[in-house]
Amino acid sequence: MQFEFLSAEADAHPLDLVDGDSLGNVREPALSWAKSNAFKAAEGKLLIVPGKDGAIESALFGHSDKPDAMLNLAALSKGLPDGDWRIEGELCDPTLAAIALRLGAYEFSRYRKESGRSIRFVAPENADIVRANRIADGICLARDLINTPTNDMGPEQLEAAARTLATAHGADVSVTAGEALLSEKLFMIHAVGRASAHAPRLIDIRWGPLSAPKVTLVGKGVCFDTGGLDIKPASGMLLMKKDMGGAANVLGLASMIMGAKLNVRLRVLIPAVENSISGNAFRPGDVLQSRKGISVEIGNTDAEGRLILADALALADEEEPALLIDMATLTGAARVALGPDLPPFYTDDEQFAAELEDAAARVFDPLWRMPLWQPYKSKLESRIADTNNVTTDGFAGSITAALFLQRFVEKAASWAHFDVYGWNPTAKPWSPVGGEAQCIHALEQVLSQRYRG
Ligand code: BES
Ligand code: MN
Ligand code: ZN
């Protein structure tokens, strides 16, 4: 749907926020209309108020102006009739309110006609609209990339999307694809992706002044995950277009960082592959060489994400970034532990974890720290190689995946790993069912606090 912010002077229908059961601040004739409609102003409930001529005059919205209700304002974008609206009064976090309104208007309309809806809001007083748009654009980019099915979002198209973003911000892109991966010693990216008709590749974006602190983002770009020869059942494969959710998230975050011109030397690494089945597919029991020189026995071809990330992380680690972040739809186990809406993250950096948890709470971008529990490292032992890619008992699947990745990071001053779901399975005011950005709003807050240009 069409969405726009209007300037303060614009003529618009007033929308009053009504807190709880009391209609105390509602004046006539809206008060009588509310009573005759039994409108109780419960959080998130909307009532349109007509004028004498029957045309739309104003609206009431049940809303406690508390930080944790801010995202519920998203319900207005699709709930209100087309037209121009002004939220009356002050909001406790006007920029977050503006982001919520934008997110509430999100539609994925690539494959059918748009709803045709059009709504405009007077920019909430004191909102930083430029920043709100930048953050919402990043989130919507991630959603669009995830929602696009693999026939239109394979490794080539993911590369094209990365190039489009890079070009928009004057960033440099280099891509290593197909056999060339072998000469760059990116053996595991090649092995995972070589069975696909669409060549595996490593997308490498660089942006910002060379002298600025190095921040590197790595995103799992498995454009489709069949499981490989350890094939997934139909139910487990159905949603696997979203297995590039980590890549989508880091591109969304990169767009926020570059848009804000943060003082960082940014690098984005995306191993983009399709985990397919063919005569040349990698097999259970194979031993792969890796960029880092660690040999990896394949216990399960469906644990492919950690393999491609390991090569990308090893490469990233070589230039000793100040901060190395990876995001990946890495394990089903993360969902078993915390559910779809609460992604676990892992880091040894206490300061970073504290800043991130604080930011996550402030902008309601939930995440939960889980431990890099070193005693579980022994579960990844192989009889013939330096490590296996899976454990035999399957316990603590998200932790052991994180521990696997940790072996490939040595020199980065700080490393954090995010095991995201990348999908919203139940509609929320700010998000329809479908691809979802996770943790990047919180990360944007931390990075812009640290590296404001
Ligand atoms: N992409 C999946 C993980 C996944 C599945 C994330 C469903 C979100 C929803 C990943 O490549 C995978 O298949 N992981 C396996 C690892 C196992 C073989 C050790 C898993 O989680 O089952
Ligand atoms: Mn898999
Ligand atoms: Zn996967």
Side-chain angles (χ1 to χ4, degrees):
M1 64 191 285
Q2 300 291 315
F3 183 99
E4 226 180 294
F5 285 116
L6 302 167
S7 63
E9 310 81 54
D11 187 25
H13 300 293
L15 176 131
D16 288 299
L17 302 176
V18 191
D19 189 350
D21 290 338
S22 90
L23 295 173
N25 60 343
V26 182
R27 285 184 301 271
E28 292 295 355
L31 182 60
S32 300
W33 180 254
K35 283 181 180 157
S36 46
N37 279 281
F39 180 70
K40 291 281 194 290
E43 180 71 42
K45 289 278 182 277
L46 180 63
L47 181 72
I48 313 297
V49 182
K52 283 201 190 83
D53 56 358
I56 291 162
E57 174 79 24
S58 62
L60 304 175
F61 185 66
H63 177 78
S64 47
D65 187 32
K66 295 198 194 94
D68 56 350
M70 232 3 77
L71 285 181
N72 289 331
L73 291 169
L76 296 173
S77 298
K78 286 199 183 114
L80 286 169
D82 281 7
D84 297 351
W85 294 89
R86 176 200 309 277
I87 301 173
E88 297 291 342
E90 266 180 59
L91 294 162
C92 66
D93 188 339
T95 302
L96 188 56
I99 293 169
L101 294 172
R102 277 281 319 266
L103 295 181
Y106 176 81
E107 280 173 355
F108 181 64
S109 51
R110 179 166 172 152
Y111 297 102
R112 59 183 185 199
K113 250 180 52 220
E114 283 207 50
S115 65
R117 299 257 351 247
S118 163
I119 194 145
R120 305 196 292 181
F121 287 94
V122 171
E125 204 178 327
N126 299 320
D128 182 342
I129 289 296
V130 174
R131 183 169 190 203
N133 276 326
R134 188 164 65 226
I135 291 169
D137 285 344
I139 292 172
C140 295
L141 170 65
R143 289 179 179 178
D144 280 345
L145 293 173
I146 297 171
N147 283 329
T148 306
T150 311
N151 58 322
D152 286 322
M153 192 49 67
E156 294 91 343
Q157 292 97 335
L158 188 53
E159 176 186 333
R163 286 189 187 277
T164 303
L165 178 69
T167 306
H169 295 280
D172 297 319
V173 188
S174 73
V175 174
T176 309
E179 300 294 299
L181 289 166
L182 298 175
S183 31
E184 297 299 320
K185 297 187 167 181
L186 299 163
F187 304 114
M188 300 204 290
I189 299 175
H190 182 266
V192 171
R194 73 185 178 214
S196 169
H198 306 280
R201 63 204 66 205
L202 181 69
I203 303 160
D204 189 346
I205 303 174
R206 292 178 190 265
W207 174 91
L210 282 163
S211 56
K214 288 194 184 95
V215 172
T216 300
L217 313 177
V218 177
K220 173 177 171 182
V222 174
C223 294
F224 195 80
D225 184 9
T226 64
L229 289 170
D230 288 309
I231 191 169
K232 286 181 185 292
S235 58
M237 208 188 292
L238 185 59
L239 267 182
M240 282 300 120
K241 69 170 181 180
K242 78 170 175 73
D243 214 17
M244 33 60 75
N249 270 287
V250 298
L251 287 174
L253 179 56
S255 104
M256 297 178 199
I257 292 170
M258 296 188 291
K261 297 199 163 47
L262 295 187
N263 181 38
V264 294
R265 173 66 179 168
L266 179 68
R267 188 177 191 190
V268 182
L269 287 169
I270 297 176
V273 304
E274 204 186 331
N275 188 17
S276 288
I277 298 171
S278 182
N280 65 342
F282 76 124
R283 311 162 190 83
D286 280 358
V287 175
L288 305 184
Q289 281 309 322
S290 66
R291 166 95 191 173
K292 197 166 173 64
I294 295 172
S295 60
V296 180
E297 183 183 8
I298 303 304
N300 193 315
T301 62
D302 198 10
E304 83 298 339
R306 63 194 73 182
L307 301 173
I308 64 170
L309 286 174
D311 270 353
L313 283 170
L315 180 68
D317 194 58
E318 287 162 20
E319 57 174 28
E320 303 179 25
L323 180 58
L324 176 55
I325 290 171
D326 79 75
M327 305 188 77
T329 51
L330 202 61
T331 70
R335 252 42 55 193
V336 175
L338 298 177
D341 301 342
L342 189 59
F345 76 101
Y346 298 83
T347 185
D348 279 336
D349 183 340
E350 299 300 323
Q351 174 66 29
F352 178 78
E355 284 174 39
L356 185 63
E357 285 172 337
D358 189 58
R362 215 169 47 237
V363 299
F364 307 98
D365 189 12
L367 39 74
W368 201 263
R369 189 173 179 191
M370 298 234 287
L372 287 158
W373 187 251
Q374 298 302 318
Y376 287 163
K377 240 172 35 189
S378 61
K379 290 172 174 289
L380 287 162
E381 278 166 11
S382 159
R383 257 189 285 276
I384 60 170
D386 295 328
T387 183
N388 202 296
N389 74 329
V390 294
T391 64
T392 43
D393 63 15
F395 288 137
S398 178
I399 294 176
T400 52
L403 291 171
F404 178 88
L405 296 180
Q406 194 177 29
R407 285 197 65 164
F408 296 83
V409 180
E410 273 179 332
K411 298 187 199 142
S414 173
W415 167 64
H417 158 60
F418 295 80
D419 193 343
V420 299
Y421 192 58
W423 192 262
N424 177 33
T426 5
K428 300 172 177 70
W430 57 91
S431 178
V433 171
E436 183 60 309
Q438 294 181 305
C439 310
I440 59 175
H441 190 180
L443 282 166
E444 187 275 348
Q445 302 281 314
V446 172
L447 297 177
S448 53
Q449 265 164 20
R450 285 190 175 189
Y451 304 114
R452 203 172 301 270

